[in-house]
Amino acid sequence: MSITRTTSGPKLPTGFPFSLACQAQGLCFVSGMPALDAGGAYVPASFTEEADLAWRNVEAIAQAAGYSAHELLFVQCV
């Protein structure tokens, strides 16, 4: 099985020691993403503003991996 990792892309925060997304067998797994700016710094704001920024980061990760945000399925792993 081949795994493709997404570690960077346009509008994505940088400097993480992990892949932002991994793809295998037609599936794309996106890492959780807090409210970070493009430099990887946390952006403190209201809950709604932080959630909006976090979602834009997830959309950018999906696009960098070749998917649209509409193709994502959210699963929480604890």
Side-chain angles (χ1 to χ4, degrees):
M1 170 175 42
S2 174
I3 297 175
T4 303
R5 299 180 193 313
T6 301
T7 57
S8 63
K11 302 178 188 175
L12 293 181
T14 60
F16 294 110
F18 55 85
S19 300
L20 298 174
C22 293
Q23 301 169 62
Q25 297 183 347
L27 299 173
C28 180
F29 300 89
V30 177
S31 296
M33 185 57 54
L36 302 175
D37 65 16
Y42 173 68
V43 179
S46 71
F47 175 82
T48 302
E49 292 166 328
E50 286 186 25
D52 185 54
L53 180 53
W55 177 248
R56 287 194 312 263
N57 286 335
V58 168
E59 286 181 313
I61 293 168
Q63 289 174 354
Y67 293 83
S68 76
H70 300 290
E71 296 177 285
L72 299 178
L73 170 67
F74 291 92
V75 177
Q76 179 179 355
C77 298
V78 197

